[in-house]
């Protein structure tokens, strides 16, 4: 007969994180870029105290356990306080992506039944446009002090955050409840149909945040200063705002300034050691650093994911700037990272380019996560690095069904990701494509990610996107869209010759188009559905 464990049954709750930080690392600093410009500084102890004030203020507004509180906000200290106040008091923190189309934003606010919206002044025009369509929202709270409130005359229920929390005490007894309770809600980007909600439990968040601190994951300790560029409005900023307080790392929040020069300046002046973001952010940063012949004086690691990190950029970070790259994979439905790639001891003696190629894969599953790839019939494919099929994931921070859906999202207990992947013998997973982006040419598959990665190795290429375009004979053929680096003149013929030397002959795109920009969506990914709309018929 199984024996019961005789340990205390203490739940894993988000409130425990901030109170731990207040108690153990009370004087460790949080630096936050205010929406109106200056840097604001305070400590974990002050953050905890203000979270408790906000919890009291929300209660005074008549909200209670299970209420949903929305946010449309940058990475800043008030948003961080809300993360803890809302979830810690048993409410649900619904982070909204401001880059969603307004009708999608209205949809998710109504679907989540948000009763309060916290928003940054930047988004005042957005709020003005959507407020009358969100009947359940009774308070619109601008994350600001009185001096910097935007003009929003006529908005019913408008509050200034600082005025709202000011009268309330710093004392609040965080309630204890089941760790499987919903803590935070985030909707998928909804490129097809309505966005769908993933409700993260306290347990999932705490476990993922602890995992993120581990040396082989993001690897955060009290010695670090961490700058999450990845937004708090999507997938919990990869749980970094929950991870740094666990270990007492200094936290730097960049607010609205996410351009290369601003990020570089923040990294240097605040002596940032670890940062995290999507590849498009790092491309912009690297362009700035290269153009001005700068160096990183404190940065030692960057965590990257959200879309494939090009091998050429990995090489640049590692070889030219001595910044280590951690490349991970995750999705809205997996709370934050589910895999992470790093150079293991057995890889250390490989030539550098082979190491970069390993890091261009999406890494190994984290402890707590299982991965497999399956064929069209659901049969598990071998871990040989070649057999590709749909990636299936299960684990302690993987969603089981979408918010308000009666139906399980799982197949035999596994979440089907919609990503096409391989797993090699050492467990490294590689995303070959989104299933809807993979190019089917003459019955064979061409990986758009592989082609983009190869094109990005050309020194004249700033951004690359490959889409499958309808073709009368082959069903689909690849079309390559290129944004040139400033002051370069790479030609169609150069690029096709460059690719022909590096990929199978039948993978070489049929056409190359040069464009000024590529459409980038709310989460920093190139919007291939937009490209398909524009260019999907060029061969027919
Ligand atoms: P989202 O839910 O918006 O974060 O999107 C999740 C999707 O982003 C995944 O299913 C992948 O298609 C893609 N993705 C995330 N991380 C990576 C990565 N490191 N490389 C390639 N694709 C990625």
């Amino acid at each position: 007969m199984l024996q019961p464990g005789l340990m205390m049954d203490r739940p894993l709750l988000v409130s425990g994180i901030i109170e731990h930080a207040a108690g153990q690392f009370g004087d460790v600093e949080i630096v936050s870029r205010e929406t109106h410009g200056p840097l604001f500084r305070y400590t974990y102890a002050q953050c905890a105290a203000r979270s408790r004030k906000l919890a009291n203020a929300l209660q005074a507004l008549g909200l209670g356990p299970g209420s949903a509180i929305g946010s449309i906000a940058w990475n800043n200290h008030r948003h961080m306080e809300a993360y803890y106040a809302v979830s810690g008091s048993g409410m649900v923190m619904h982070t909204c992506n401001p880059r969603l189309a307004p009708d999608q934003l209205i949809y998710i606010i109504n679907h989540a039944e948000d009763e309060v919206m916290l928003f940054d002044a930047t988004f005042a025009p957005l709020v003005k446009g959507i407020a009358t369509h969100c009947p359940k929202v009774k308070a619109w709270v601008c994350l600001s002090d009185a001096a910097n409130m935007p003009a929003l005359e006529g908005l019913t229920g408008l509050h200034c955050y600082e005025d709202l929390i000011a009268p309330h005490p710093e004392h609040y007894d965080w309630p204890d409840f089941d760790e499987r309770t919903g803590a935070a809600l985030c909707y998928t980007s909804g490129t097809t149909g309505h966005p769908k909600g993933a409700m993260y439990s306290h347990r999932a968040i705490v476990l993922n945040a602890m995992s993120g601190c581990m040396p082989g994951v993001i690897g955060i300790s009290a010695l670090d200063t961490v700058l999450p560029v990845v937004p708090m409005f999507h997938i919990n900023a990869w749980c970094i705002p929950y991870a740094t307080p666990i270990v007492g790392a200094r936290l730097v929040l960049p607010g609205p300034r996410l351009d290369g020069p601003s990020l570089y300046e923040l990294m240097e002046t605040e002596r940032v050691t670890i940062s995290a973001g999507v590849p498009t952010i790092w491309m912009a940063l690297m362009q700035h650093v290269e153009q001005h012949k700068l160096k990183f004086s404190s940065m030692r690691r960057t965590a990257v994911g959200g879309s494939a990190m090009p091998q050429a950029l990995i090489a640049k970070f590692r070889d030219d700037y001595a910044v280590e790259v951690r490349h991970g994979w995750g999705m809205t439905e997996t709370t934050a990272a589910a895999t992470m790639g790093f150079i293991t001891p057995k890889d250390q003696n490989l030539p550098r380019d082979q190491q970069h190629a390993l890091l261009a894969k999406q890494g190994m599953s984290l402890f707590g996560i299982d991965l497999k790839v399956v064929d069209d019939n659901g049969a598990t494919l071998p871990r040989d690095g070649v057999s590709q099929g749909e990636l299936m994931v299960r684990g302690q921070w993987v969603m089981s069904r979408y918010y308000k859906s009666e139906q399980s999202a799982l197949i035999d207990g596994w979440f089907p990701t919609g990503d096409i992947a391989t797993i090699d013998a050492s467990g490294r997973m590689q995303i070959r494509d989104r299933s809807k982006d993979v190019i089917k040419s003459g019955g064979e598959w061409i990986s758009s990610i592989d082609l983009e990665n190869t094109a990005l190795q050309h020194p004249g290429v700033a951004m690359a996107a490959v889409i499958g375009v309808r073709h009368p004979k082959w069903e689909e053929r690849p079309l390559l869209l290129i944004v040139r680096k400033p002051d370069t003149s790479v030609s169609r013929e150069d690029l096709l010759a460059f690719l022909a030397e590096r990929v199978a002959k039948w993978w070489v795109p049929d056409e190359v188009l040069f464009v000024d920009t590529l459409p980038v969506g709310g989460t920093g990914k190139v919007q291939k559905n937009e490209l398909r709309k524009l260019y999907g018929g060029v061969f027919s």
Side-chain angles (χ1 to χ4, degrees):
M1 201 176 62
L2 298 176
Q3 292 280 354
L6 299 177
M7 296 297 110
M8 291 182 195
D9 200 9
R10 296 288 303 140
L12 298 168
L13 297 178
V14 160
S15 54
I17 296 178
I18 200 65
E19 289 304 332
H20 172 71
Q24 306 308 309
F25 314 113
D27 58 355
V28 172
E29 200 178 35
I30 299 176
V31 182
S32 169
R33 172 79 65 196
E34 295 268 21
T35 305
H36 63 280
L39 287 177
F40 171 86
R41 294 168 193 280
Y42 71 167
T43 63
Y44 279 122
Q46 288 167 308
C47 176
R50 283 168 51 94
S51 301
R52 288 185 233 109
K53 281 167 86 78
L54 176 58
N56 283 318
L58 292 172
Q59 209 167 35
L61 283 178
L63 301 155
S67 298
I69 312 294
S71 66
I72 312 178
W74 301 115
N75 293 9
N76 60 41
H77 69 287
R78 295 188 183 94
H79 204 180
M80 172 103 171
E81 291 158 16
Y83 262 39
Y84 288 100
V86 172
S87 306
S89 58
M91 303 182 208
V92 174
M93 181 77 229
H94 171 209
T95 54
C96 300
N97 185 340
R99 295 173 186 142
L100 287 180
D103 60 329
Q104 288 192 327
L105 209 47
I106 293 167
Y107 171 84
I108 64 171
I109 291 170
N110 289 331
H111 189 265
E113 301 182 52
D114 292 333
E115 295 178 59
V116 171
M117 283 304 294
L118 310 168
F119 65 97
D120 270 321
T122 317
F123 305 114
L126 187 62
V127 163
K128 207 170 180 169
I130 63 173
T132 52
H133 303 282
C134 305
K136 289 231 160 135
V137 178
K138 55 185 177 200
W140 296 87
V141 182
C142 184
L143 298 173
S144 169
D145 56 13
N148 293 288
M149 283 291 282
L152 270 171
E153 295 85 16
L155 178 66
T156 332
L158 176 65
H159 295 262
C160 160
Y161 182 89
E162 291 300 331
D163 293 350
L164 182 77
I165 67 167
H168 293 282
E170 287 183 1
H171 178 86
Y172 177 85
D173 283 325
W174 300 111
D176 259 4
F177 43 77
D178 191 323
E179 65 188 20
R180 291 165 298 181
T181 305
L185 178 62
C186 177
Y187 282 74
T188 58
S189 313
T191 44
T192 49
H194 283 310
K196 297 193 285 279
M199 175 74 92
Y200 310 119
S201 63
H202 284 256
R203 172 184 160 82
I205 289 174
V206 175
L207 288 175
N208 182 279
M210 292 201 297
S211 163
C213 297
M214 285 163 66
V217 187
I218 303 176
I220 304 172
S221 82
L223 299 175
D224 286 307
T225 294
V226 186
L227 170 68
V229 184
V230 48
M232 289 172 71
F233 58 68
H234 191 66
I235 333 184
N236 314 304
W238 299 346
C239 284
I240 291 172
Y242 303 110
T244 57
I246 289 179
V247 291
R250 200 166 155 263
L251 181 64
V252 179
L253 299 168
R257 296 203 193 158
L258 305 178
D259 57 288
S262 303
L263 288 177
Y264 177 78
E265 191 200 317
L266 201 55
M267 284 171 173
E268 287 300 302
T269 53
E270 296 303 324
R271 312 277 314 146
V272 169
T273 59
I274 297 178
S275 190
V278 295
T280 41
I281 289 281
W282 299 146
M283 286 179 198
L285 175 73
M286 200 46 95
Q287 229 168 17
H288 171 71
V289 169
E290 283 194 304
Q291 206 174 351
H292 295 89
K293 303 200 170 20
L294 304 167
K295 290 278 171 209
F296 296 106
S297 62
S298 55
M299 270 283 288
R300 57 190 184 85
R301 181 177 310 137
T302 173
V304 58
S307 52
M309 178 72 163
Q311 190 176 324
L313 197 53
I314 294 173
K316 212 167 268 281
F317 267 113
R318 297 185 76 221
D319 291 346
D320 300 350
Y321 295 92
V323 174
E324 192 192 346
V325 175
R326 291 284 165 85
H327 185 190
W329 167 91
M331 56 199 309
T332 309
E333 292 87 340
T334 66
T335 308
T339 72
M340 196 59 78
F342 60 96
I343 296 300
T344 62
K346 76 174 178 343
D347 308 328
Q348 262 163 5
N349 297 325
L350 291 173
R352 297 288 286 183
D353 59 336
Q354 285 182 35
Q355 293 186 17
H356 305 330
L358 286 180
L359 286 172
K361 297 186 177 190
Q362 281 72 9
M364 289 74 87
S365 61
L366 306 184
F367 173 69
I369 294 286
D370 299 322
L371 296 179
K372 64 176 181 179
V373 288
V374 298
D375 67 14
D376 289 347
N377 301 316
T380 304
L381 292 166
R383 292 186 162 218
D384 56 9
V386 184
S387 306
Q388 63 181 40
E390 182 167 12
L391 179 67
M392 311 287 283
V393 58
R394 71 177 180 195
Q396 286 140 4
W397 49 86
V398 180
M399 194 203 72
S400 61
R401 64 186 160 95
Y402 289 103
Y403 185 48
K404 290 189 175 171
S405 163
E406 296 301 319
Q407 261 179 1
S408 166
L410 311 184
I411 300 172
D412 296 333
W414 293 76
F415 181 78
T417 64
D419 285 332
I420 305 294
T422 55
I423 303 177
D424 68 18
S426 57
R428 272 184 204 272
M429 184 271 285
Q430 181 171 19
I431 300 282
R432 310 290 297 189
D433 239 320
R434 278 305 280 168
S435 55
K436 60 184 189 306
D437 294 339
V438 74
I439 300 157
K440 289 161 214 100
S441 174
E444 299 286 344
W445 284 2
I446 298 175
S447 159
S448 64
I449 295 184
D450 278 4
L451 278 177
E452 287 156 9
N453 245 322
T454 312
L456 281 162
Q457 286 169 19
H458 191 287
V461 173
M463 285 179 88
V466 175
I467 56 165
V469 169
R470 283 189 303 285
H471 190 279
K473 178 168 177 197
W474 299 111
E475 184 185 355
E476 278 185 339
R477 287 296 300 157
L479 166 71
L480 174 61
L481 294 132
I482 292 288
V483 179
R484 289 190 182 101
K485 281 201 181 147
D487 310 320
T488 61
S489 57
V490 54
S491 70
R492 170 185 183 276
E493 288 67 32
D494 292 341
L495 269 170
L496 291 179
F498 183 83
L499 289 171
E501 283 172 19
R502 291 166 175 79
V503 301
K505 195 161 157 258
W506 59 280
W507 277 40
V508 176
D510 284 28
E511 196 47 85
V512 183
L513 294 181
F514 294 93
V515 290
D516 293 335
T517 52
L518 290 171
V520 174
T523 50
K525 299 181 223 286
V526 172
Q527 288 180 305
K528 294 204 178 168
N529 50 340
E530 292 299 316
L531 294 176
R532 278 190 287 266
K533 269 188 228 156
L534 287 171
Y535 303 107
V538 294
F539 300 148
S540 22

